[in-house]
Amino acid sequence: MIARRDQPVVPLRRRSIDPATPVIDPDHSEGDPSMSEPTRRNLLRGTAATATGAAVAALAAPAAARADGDREQAPTFVLVHSTSCSSSWWGPLIGELALRGHRALAVDLPGHGPGAYYPKAYQAPQDLKALATEPSPTAKLTVDDYAEHVERVVTRASARGPVILAGHGDAGGAVLGRLGNAIPGRIRHLVYIDAFLCVDLATMGDYQQVPENGGALPVPAIGNPAELGVARINWRSGNPKDVAAFKAALAADFTDEALRAMLNSLQPDEAAAVWGADVKVDARTWGRIPRTYVRFSKDRTFPVALQDRMIREADRLTPRNRFKVHTVAAPHAGPLHRPEIVKILDGLA
């Protein structure tokens, strides 16, 4: 959701990926016996990352299997949230999908949701001086941690049928890129919902410097991300200027009541490394997965001009597999269960 222009960009190691990736046994932590451990490390860094996130699932009764040919199970939607928030942002959307007979689950990335860190100085009465310097365990997290956690969820879900992987914002888009590169055979469809996509440039930080991002509205942060290792935002600020900036950037058409509810669903710390990670997509792997992009035409923190640039670059990368593009008149905060979004996802299933 929020990227800081003044943080150092430190690209992470990219993986060498075989497009014919064997399917990994979802019930065995070591993977397919035919796949060597070094090969698995090339897919998603391979170290035993701690699953600090939690998968929050709402399972509806699956649609009837097809009677003709091989019986195909109904797809499962796996939903990945943006930075500074959690799986709770998907809750109402999961309810709508469930009522239409679809399986869906939302993933809490490591360090988010129940695993989020809230600085002591963030609580009322706030100590703003201490808040600017208080260390955060979130600083050690990377996009590798995020991708490895979601990969485990997708692996388990894919054992029960096809997976439609959807992501929102910057973290959601980064994870979709990583998993599209690493495990294209386990993803039926990628859905970018107002989400970042790195094609010609390697990092989200790189794209923040392009002309198409020139109209982006800043979100006030506290402390120095380079020193803290996190982008820290005081969503509980009582400063009217801060609240006005939050609304303008993220939720311009929200009522004041809806804005307060949204702000109270956010967490203060996001790993600064997210915006410097190399999440560039690969035409050989990510590029072979069918994909949809849902543009948010009222987003002021991720301008529609930048969304369009990313879509153009992706379509140029794989001209035989282009985005199916939809437009929703929504700001960055959505909400994500708008009827137009529900209809788009319902149609994909």
Side-chain angles (χ1 to χ4, degrees), residues 2 84 122 219-222 231-236 246 267-269:
I2 308 302
S84 299
Y122 189 62
V219 172
I222 189 167
R232 178 169 287 168
I233 301 171
N234 184 13
W235 302 111
R236 294 177 179 170
F246 298 152
Q267 57 190 63
D269 289 358

Side-chain angles (χ1 to χ4, degrees), residues 58-66 71-79 94 97-98 100-105 153-154 156-166 186-191 344-349:
L59 299 181
R66 295 180 182 176
R71 291 170 66 84
E72 182 181 63
Q73 292 173 295
T76 299
F77 290 93
V78 177
L79 309 171
I94 288 176
L97 292 174
R100 288 161 174 77
H102 305 308
R103 287 196 299 258
L105 63 90
V153 175
V154 170
R156 293 182 62 189
S158 66
R160 301 181 62 85
V163 170
I164 297 174
L165 182 62
R186 292 199 218 121
I187 303 169
R188 167 183 279 187
H189 203 103
L190 290 168
V191 187
I344 293 166
L345 296 182
D346 183 42
L348 290 176

